[in-house]
Amino acid sequence: MRDAIFAYEPYIRLGAFGGVFAVMAIWELLVPRRKQVLGRGRRWPNNLGVVVVDTLLVRLVFPTTAVGLALVAEAHGWGLFNTITVPIWIAVVSSVVVLDLAIYLQHVLFHAVPALWRLHRMHHADLEFDVTTGLRFHPIEILLSMVIKLTVVAALGVPVLAVLIFEVLLNATSMFNHSNVRIPLGLDNVLRWLVVTPDMHRVHHSILARETNSNFGFNLPWWDRLFGTYRAQPEAGHDAMTIGIEQFRDPRELGLDRMLLQPFRGDVGRYPLGRRQREQ
Ligand SMILES: [Zn+2]
C-alpha cells in the first residue's frame, strides 16, 4: 500500500484539490456569506497564479515530498513511530493531530516574529475572503512551512498514510475555512467544535490587530480554545467587518507581481504579537 500511496500521491492530491475547490466555488456562488466588492476576475487569476509559483518552487527546491521522506524514514528506522510498536491507527491519528498542532504553532510564530509576519501578511492582504484566499501564501512562507513539516515527519516517524491524509486535509480545510459560504448559525456553533469553520476563521482576517491575532487554527479548532487565542465573532459583525490589513489596501496590490514583493516593501506594521503588547 505504501508504494501505491507514493505512486498515486500527485493524482490523489490534485483530485482532492480540484474537487473541493469546485464544491466551495459553487457553494460560494449559490449561498454567499458576504457581498463581495471586488470581482473574482480581479483576484482569482492572481491568487491561483501564486499556487502555481508555490507548487513549482517546492518541486524545484526539495528533493522529496513529505510522503517520500516518510518512506525514507521508515526504511531507516528514523523517528518515534518507526522505533516503537503501536497499532497503526494510533500512529496515524496521533500523527495527524501532532502535525496539526505544529501548523498551529507555526502560524502563531509567523504572527509573532516581525520578519516572518512580513512573509505571512501577504496572505492577510487579500481584500476579500473566499476559497482562493485559502490558497494565497507567499512562496517563501510555503518553503519554510515545508521545512517544518519535513522535520516533524522525520522526528515523529509519521506513517506514509498519515502524511497523505494530512496533506489532503490541510489543503481541503484551508479552502473550506476561507470560503465565503453561509452556514446556518446553529450548525456553525456545533461544527466549530470539530473543525475550523469559515465564520471562525474570518475573524482572523479582520483588519483589527486583536482579531487578526486570534483563531490561528486551520484544521482542528481545539488549539485556539486550549491556548487562549479563541475569539468567537468579529466585533463589527461578519457583514460590516473590514477584511485585510492596514497596508496594501490599493486594489493594484492584488496583482501577482505586487503580492510577491510585499514582504520587502513598507515597514513591518503594528501586527506582530510583541509590538501589539507594547502598545497596549
Ligand atoms: Zn494568519
Side-chain angles (χ1 to χ4, degrees):
M1 175 157 110
R2 288 178 199 89
D3 295 336
I5 290 177
F6 185 64
Y8 291 108
E9 185 204 356
Y11 308 104
I12 297 169
R13 287 180 61 181
L14 191 65
F17 163 74
V20 174
F21 182 84
V23 167
M24 296 322 302
I26 294 167
W27 191 352
E28 284 181 348
L29 270 179
L30 298 177
V31 202
R33 178 68 161 105
R34 282 164 51 97
K35 196 175 169 343
Q36 292 197 331
V37 179
L38 292 150
R40 288 180 177 75
R42 185 110 199 215
R43 296 172 44 254
W44 282 33
N46 302 303
N47 286 0
L48 294 174
V50 90
V51 178
V52 175
V53 174
D54 290 349
T55 310
L56 291 177
L57 205 64
V58 165
R59 280 288 141 93
L60 280 174
V61 170
F62 292 96
T64 176
T65 60
V67 165
L69 181 66
L71 279 172
V72 174
E74 191 185 284
H76 290 82
W78 297 343
L80 181 68
F81 288 123
N82 291 320
T83 46
I84 59 169
T85 312
V86 287
I88 181 71
W89 69 268
I90 291 187
V92 169
V93 171
S94 43
S95 292
V96 169
V97 171
V98 171
L99 277 166
D100 194 54
L101 173 61
I103 295 290
Y104 168 88
L105 294 173
Q106 177 196 319
H107 192 182
V108 175
L109 191 70
F110 272 78
H111 277 252
V113 179
L116 296 178
W117 167 251
R118 279 181 172 273
L119 299 172
H120 182 60
R121 71 183 177 184
M122 186 275 255
H123 172 66
H124 282 267
D126 200 348
L127 296 172
E128 297 282 4
F129 179 89
D130 67 19
V131 58
T132 64
T133 313
L135 302 166
R136 175 191 151 124
F137 292 94
H138 197 276
I140 305 175
E141 175 173 1
I142 292 291
L143 293 180
L144 290 175
S145 139
M146 186 71 180
V147 171
I148 294 170
K149 202 161 38 182
L150 291 175
T151 307
V152 176
V153 167
L156 201 62
V158 177
V160 175
L161 178 64
V163 179
L164 181 72
I165 290 174
F166 186 72
E167 296 274 37
V168 169
L169 208 62
L170 189 67
N171 185 242
T173 53
S174 186
M175 287 189 279
F176 168 71
N177 64 39
H178 286 88
S179 62
N180 185 34
V181 298
R182 181 177 296 276
I183 295 175
L185 291 183
L187 179 60
D188 183 276
N189 276 335
V190 178
L191 214 54
R192 65 166 68 189
W193 281 103
L194 303 171
V195 68
V196 175
T197 63
D199 273 13
M200 181 175 160
H201 194 67
R202 194 177 296 102
V203 179
H204 183 72
H205 282 259
S206 159
I207 194 169
L208 301 174
R210 59 183 175 278
E211 293 187 340
T212 310
N213 290 318
S214 58
N215 298 6
F216 295 97
F218 262 84
N219 283 318
L220 300 172
W222 314 323
W223 312 123
D224 284 299
R225 296 190 191 247
L226 194 64
F227 297 119
T229 50
Y230 177 68
R231 197 177 278 268
Q233 306 294 342
E235 280 168 22
H238 288 280
D239 288 314
M241 71 183 286
T242 303
I243 300 286
I245 53 175
E246 286 160 356
Q247 290 158 293
F248 311 122
R249 299 205 65 81
D250 184 332
R252 279 180 300 179
E253 297 290 345
L254 298 168
L256 184 56
D257 52 341
R258 297 232 183 179
M259 281 160 59
L260 294 175
L261 290 172
Q262 276 171 7
F264 315 105
R265 292 167 44 216
D267 61 23
V268 72
R270 59 184 191 87
Y271 288 88
L273 286 166
R275 184 157 300 195
R276 176 173 155 251
Q277 276 161 1
R278 273 205 307 276
E279 282 178 1
Q280 277 176 348

